[in-house]
Amino acid sequence: MRAHERLHSNLPVDRRNLPGHRVFFGRDTPLQLDCGAVLADFPVAYQTYGTLNKNRTNAILVCHALTGDQFVAERHPVTGKDGWWSLMVGPGKTIDTNRFFVICVNVLGGCMGSIGPAEVNPATGELWGLRFPIITIADMVRAQTMVLDHLGIEQLFAVIGGSMGGMQVLEWAALFPERVFAAVPIATASHHTAQNIAFHEVGRQAIMADPDWCDGEYWRVGKRPHRGLAVARMAAHITYLSESKLTKKFGRRLQTGKALSYGFNVDFQVESYLRHQGITFVERFDANSYLYITRAMDYFDMPARYGGQLANAFRDTKVRFCLISFTSDWLYPTPESRRIVHALNAVAANVSFAEIVSNAGHDAFLLDEPDFRRVLGGFLAGAAQHRGLAAANSR
Amino acid sequence: MRAHERLHSNLPVDRRNLPGHRVFFGRDTPLQLDCGAVLADFPVAYQTYGTLNKNRTNAILVCHALTGDQFVAERHPVTGKDGWWSLMVGPGKTIDTNRFFVICVNVLGGCMGSIGPAEVNPATGELWGLRFPIITIADMVRAQTMVLDHLGIEQLFAVIGGSMGGMQVLEWAALFPERVFAAVPIATASHHTAQNIAFHEVGRQAIMADPDWCDGEYWRVGKRPHRGLAVARMAAHITYLSESKLTKKFGRRLQTGKALSYGFNVDFQVESYLRHQGITFVERFDANSYLYITRAMDYFDMPARYGGQLANAFRDTKVRFCLISFTSDWLYPTPESRRIVHALNAVAANVSFAEIVSNAGHDAFLLDEPDFRRVLGGFLAGAAQHRGLAAANSR
């Protein structure tokens, strides 16, 4: 048994039995992190759909969001539910796996098989816990390049992602422009605002306030900060929706057949929904991963890295961009996308931009939004033509 | 020592030593609550500023918000800070205590001397805890009428309040129109939306997730759910501000003299600010009170009580209304005030409405907003003239 796997029987998800792939990068392929630390001898988990063509030119990297994972378009091995982007990715779908080879990598710091705080540090044989180094969005992208090297893919046809996935897309285009033909940042921003940071900080404080968090050592002592993580999820979940969506979906409706209880049990459907979001989340997600990934997002500030001028990140870029935002997204509202478009315009990049009318809030990118699918599908079709990719055999 | 006071030495604030007034309503003056329970033999705390005139016609009731209290315009006995509306209430100020007699009552369910879960149930000699009955905004107002009876005030010149205070103002106008000459609901709504309920539910779950909450029995066992209450406050506090205010006030600025820590300590000023909000709040507020008062707000739904037609609440009203909202308030945004204005228009009520341009979010009503002060001052001056109140002697 490898050192990485020694403690796995304690963990909620046995990573040895997950579908998909897990590549171990040895000591000869270290990863230098932004914080200064170096990762060596570490696993990265990923899943693929479709077939890589002979020229290795039809690969699409899908980047997942904060609480997503590599199980994009299949029954999730832990929850048993559809993959988070099953609506979008699959045979004949907008991201057509008959045509494209789709890859999704569990982010660095994640909890579905990639190196993260719930994994074992092979140098010590102990769980990393809070000794795991702070990672950044750029670090996540660097780890993804290692997976691409492993797969022998020089250039991605496209890199696509929503929310934190969109941040990874921006880093791909900025750091590795030669490896990206087309980039689709969706419902995202080039930096985290004070309000974004504030909501994340509430989530982190909720986790750390849970005595079962045990200063991050909960695995070691056989506990899990379920209550704190559930509260963090509930607070975050509100920001993923919109006031109008919540009103339409729940309004002030009471639990079926119930009157006001004049107590603290669930009265309103929206309370039940939120509690359910919290409860189901803790079954599949690691609290320390939540700390690390939210921190990575809060540290995300591309303009700052380029002298306050986001445009400098994309000088002479040949990447074709398609930015997409949603009208009711108040977490990463349209002006954040427009800021990126302006930066791309300033360097005469090839960029298209669509704001989709939707009342679904930030989560719109995960849902069945026909206009969104049409925009993304149209952009991919055009880009594929420019890239010289034949249409799918099935068509 | 009265039964009410027996356990006070355990409590954070010794209510016997607070400034202001505390009236005990005996068994002969019970209060019937909306939930069906009856309160008898209970205290209500209040504070006053200025002098009641001979005709008892110059009283203004100020209604406080969720975490406010009766210490409107003086050094707060617990925090040592200015009263929450010191900017607005005082000699020569917009609500001029040289002219008006200002009363503020600690709401039912509160924790600054009025009956609430941290008080003793005289029938049992035990702390109420979660055995305290669920209260509503209308119940709060009924308790306030008892204080007015106690003071011999038949009609208020005005009832004024922001946020939950504004909900009380609406209930005053609906339930006791003959006792109100003018009503000023500020930054409020006639019902709580699904999003409002959702944010409150996160706060309640944060409190209940704290093991020191002890199913509401924390006082009894010498604990306090400080961590859960602080998280609840942090989440709520974000909703009191606006994205633009947070950006202007903090942006992504780091703690003075610091670089990114690549850890989980405070990096950003906004994190430090939020943590401070949480920490200072728990010193002055009771967690169970937070549960009860948020529940009262979530239950607030005036249209539902009047057959879905808010206008029915105000038929034939003679009350003069002034509604005020703030452009950047996303907790109770302007359309919520407009909905009330439309209902009042439908019954030909005397109503004026102003939306104040401000980037301060919901908290704008607590801050120095000159346009807000001008609108409120102008309305009060006009109403006072109609009421036949002479200008202050000092003028």
Side-chain angles (χ1 to χ4, degrees), chain A residues 140-156:
Chain A
M140 294 175 185
V141 166
R142 291 182 191 109
Q144 290 161 0
T145 67
M146 295 171 75
V147 174
L148 290 202
D149 293 344
H150 169 74
L151 294 171
I153 297 169
E154 207 161 301
Q155 190 194 49
L156 293 164

Side-chain angles (χ1 to χ4, degrees), chain A residues 44-47 61-64 69-70 72 103-108 114 140 143-145 147-148 168:
Chain A
V44 175
Y46 64 97
Q47 181 57 298
L61 178 71
V62 167
C63 300
H64 71 72
D69 54 40
Q70 66 270 38
V72 173
I103 311 159
C104 184
V105 179
N106 185 217
V107 296
L108 219 62
S114 289
M140 294 175 185
Q144 290 161 0
T145 67
V147 174
L148 290 202
Q168 295 164 61

Side-chain angles (χ1 to χ4, degrees), chain A residues 201 267 271 275 295 299, chain B residues 201 267 271 275 295 299:
Chain A
E201 175 65 4
D267 274 323
E271 293 177 305
R275 291 190 193 185
R295 201 57 163 166
Y299 275 23
Chain B
E201 174 65 3
D267 274 324
E271 293 176 304
R275 291 190 193 184
R295 202 55 163 167
Y299 274 24

Side-chain angles (χ1 to χ4, degrees), chain A residues 260-301:
Chain A
L260 286 179
S261 72
Y262 289 102
F264 293 110
N265 290 329
V266 164
D267 274 323
F268 299 101
Q269 288 179 14
V270 67
E271 293 177 305
S272 167
Y273 171 76
L274 263 195
R275 291 190 193 185
H276 177 76
Q277 293 297 326
I279 289 163
T280 54
F281 183 61
V282 301
E283 289 165 9
R284 68 175 176 87
F285 214 83
D286 175 58
N288 282 342
S289 274
Y290 197 84
L291 299 181
Y292 276 89
I293 300 176
T294 55
R295 201 57 163 166
M297 294 174 78
D298 290 349
Y299 275 23
F300 186 62
D301 186 1

Side-chain angles (χ1 to χ4, degrees), chain B residues 28-103:
Chain B
D28 53 333
T29 50
L31 173 57
Q32 168 79 50
L33 302 176
D34 278 331
C35 69
V38 175
L39 287 180
D41 199 10
F42 63 97
V44 175
Y46 63 98
Q47 182 55 299
T48 66
Y49 307 91
T51 310
L52 188 61
N53 64 13
K54 221 169 61 180
N55 299 332
R56 299 168 182 263
T57 55
N58 69 333
I60 291 180
L61 179 71
V62 167
C63 300
H64 71 73
L66 167 54
T67 66
D69 55 39
Q70 67 269 38
F71 304 111
V72 173
E74 67 196 289
R75 199 178 147 86
H76 193 281
V78 177
T79 66
K81 291 184 186 164
D82 284 344
W84 59 270
W85 232 11
S86 291
L87 284 168
M88 193 63 92
V89 178
K93 296 192 177 170
T94 308
I95 299 176
D96 187 352
T97 51
N98 288 331
R99 186 172 192 188
F100 300 112
F101 178 61
V102 172
I103 310 159

Side-chain angles (χ1 to χ4, degrees), chain B residues 116-132:
Chain B
E119 293 287 324
V120 171
N121 177 355
T124 64
E126 306 255 299
L127 282 167
W128 276 104
L130 287 204
R131 288 168 298 278
F132 189 71

